[in-house]
Amino acid sequence: MSALIAVALTLVALGAVAVVMTDDTSRQAVTLSVFGLLLSVLFLTLSAPDVALSQIGVGTAIVPLMVMLAIRRTRDKQ
Amino acid sequence: MSRTARLMMFVVAGGAVGVMLVLGVLDLPHFGSSFHPYRDAAVPAAVAHATSNVISSVNFDLRGLDTLGEETILLTSVLGVAALLRPAEDEEERKPRRAGSLLDMTRLFGYVFLPLTLAIGFITVAHGALTPGGGFQGGVVLGTGIHLLYVAGSYHAIEKVRPVEALEYGESLGAGAFACFGIAGALVSASFLGNILPWGTFGELFSSGSVLFLSCAVGVEVASGVIVLLAQFLHQAIEVESHVEAGKA
């Protein structure tokens, strides 16, 4: 189990770096969504399935979608 | 204040916060150790109240007031978004453009997963007191799941099945039901959000007293809230344009 946690933690760290390194904001919404998924895997390995479920819904679906829609709208305006 | 003075203030304050944070973390029980005082208190309390999902017991029974606060945060944020994103004076509504063609795979994926996701959402809300999940998680699944209709179908399709005005009432109704449960608890059991229902048998659907119903109230609120929230964003992105753009076009 602790090996799984170590793998999940490493993936979260790598995912976070990937989000920060992504230049284009609309691509960043996608990497953010992947990062959210990795985070929920970490929560699951830490035996917190309730938090993992919330994380999947909010972190991988709602927030990236809101970011995408906001970017689309502001790009239209420019 | 000059730049150097500001920097000095930041270094002092930031350093103090950093030191306190490190000291606090060092004082925590070690990661992965078997010393869990909160678990030792919460698990017996949940079992005594016939709630097999200890997390739901903490959220809706032991610390129900915190959850009421969190639901109010969600309610006010959705309200704030609705107020901020309503079309401004220099904006006008337009007919949504026809969507481009979709991959057959996307459409198949959407229509297979739409009923599946909604079923999982309902199950997660209804079994909040028994298995991982609850009103918030299930509500989020329901509120986002329905947007598969937008991904796999069209904006027109999602608009048809999503009565935003009714859902605005649904959101307040969920939050209001939670508060009413709290007041009823105060009247019956002399503590706000105190249990007012029979506890039931541990592990069965109708167990855990008020937890099941509070979970459902939160489910209604969160599902409606998420749909209303995303509806504002979708409306702005798809149906609204400012006069500047219109002039350009």
Side-chain angles (χ1 to χ4, degrees):
Chain A
M1 203 58 191
S2 55
L4 258 182
I5 293 174
V7 170
L9 268 172
T10 315
L11 286 176
V12 166
L14 291 177
V17 173
V19 175
V20 176
M21 300 287 275
T22 313
D23 285 330
D24 182 30
T25 34
S26 55
R27 282 170 199 274
Q28 210 165 23
V30 179
T31 43
L32 183 68
S33 169
V34 175
F35 171 71
L37 201 63
L38 293 171
L39 206 56
S40 64
V41 171
L42 174 67
F43 291 143
L44 200 64
T45 57
L46 290 171
S47 48
D50 291 77
V51 188
L53 269 171
S54 310
Q55 174 57 35
I56 286 183
V58 177
T60 52
I62 300 182
V63 172
L65 182 58
M66 272 164 53
V67 170
M68 283 273 216
L69 291 170
I71 290 167
R72 176 179 162 159
R73 178 74 185 113
T74 45
R75 284 228 175 114
D76 275 358
K77 267 199 168 168
Q78 277 162 12
Chain B
M1 204 188 295
S2 75
R3 199 179 155 78
T4 22
R6 271 211 310 256
L7 197 69
M8 281 301 289
M9 254 184 86
F10 169 74
V11 169
V12 171
V17 170
V19 167
M20 283 193 285
L21 201 66
V22 169
L23 286 178
V25 168
L26 287 177
D27 212 28
L28 284 175
H30 286 293
F31 184 76
S33 76
S34 56
F35 176 65
H36 287 294
Y38 196 77
R39 173 200 62 190
D40 296 339
V43 173
V47 173
H49 287 180
T51 314
S52 55
N53 182 9
V54 178
I55 310 296
S56 280
S57 177
V58 171
N59 282 342
F60 298 116
D61 186 11
L62 306 175
R63 300 302 299 269
L65 190 63
D66 293 26
T67 305
L68 180 62
E70 278 159 28
E71 295 323 307
T72 316
I73 292 174
L74 182 75
L75 187 76
T76 45
S77 343
V78 174
L79 217 73
V81 167
L84 279 174
L85 291 188
R86 68 188 194 282
E89 268 175 27
D90 63 338
E91 290 172 337
E92 62 186 31
E93 302 202 16
R94 64 172 177 214
K95 271 214 148 45
R97 278 171 296 202
R98 290 295 299 169
S101 60
L102 270 173
L103 287 176
D104 285 340
M105 212 42 217
T106 313
R107 196 164 303 172
L108 178 71
F109 175 86
Y111 288 127
V112 169
F113 277 88
L114 178 66
L116 212 65
T117 315
L118 295 184
I120 290 173
F122 279 116
I123 291 171
T124 312
V125 173
H127 292 75
L130 297 172
T131 49
F136 182 78
Q137 291 88 341
V140 170
V141 172
L142 286 172
T144 42
I146 200 163
H147 289 87
L148 281 173
L149 206 59
Y150 168 59
V151 175
S154 65
Y155 183 65
H156 187 64
I158 182 83
E159 262 199 318
K160 263 192 168 165
V161 299
R162 176 197 65 180
V164 174
E165 267 175 40
L167 289 170
E168 281 169 2
Y169 285 105
E171 196 197 0
S172 349
L173 210 71
F178 199 109
C180 287
F181 252 88
I183 295 166
L187 294 176
V188 174
S189 72
S191 77
F192 188 73
L193 278 168
N195 184 55
I196 50 169
L197 297 165
W199 288 115
T201 318
F202 186 85
E204 283 182 9
L205 181 58
F206 289 102
S207 61
S208 72
S210 305
V211 172
L212 169 65
F213 293 92
L214 290 175
S215 169
C216 289
V218 169
V220 170
E221 194 213 322
V222 172
S224 320
V226 167
I227 296 173
V228 172
L229 182 75
L230 289 178
Q232 310 300 325
F233 275 88
L234 281 168
H235 180 73
Q236 267 286 342
I238 292 170
E239 278 187 283
V240 173
E241 71 179 3
S242 59
H243 287 319
V244 188
E245 294 164 47
K248 258 194 313 199

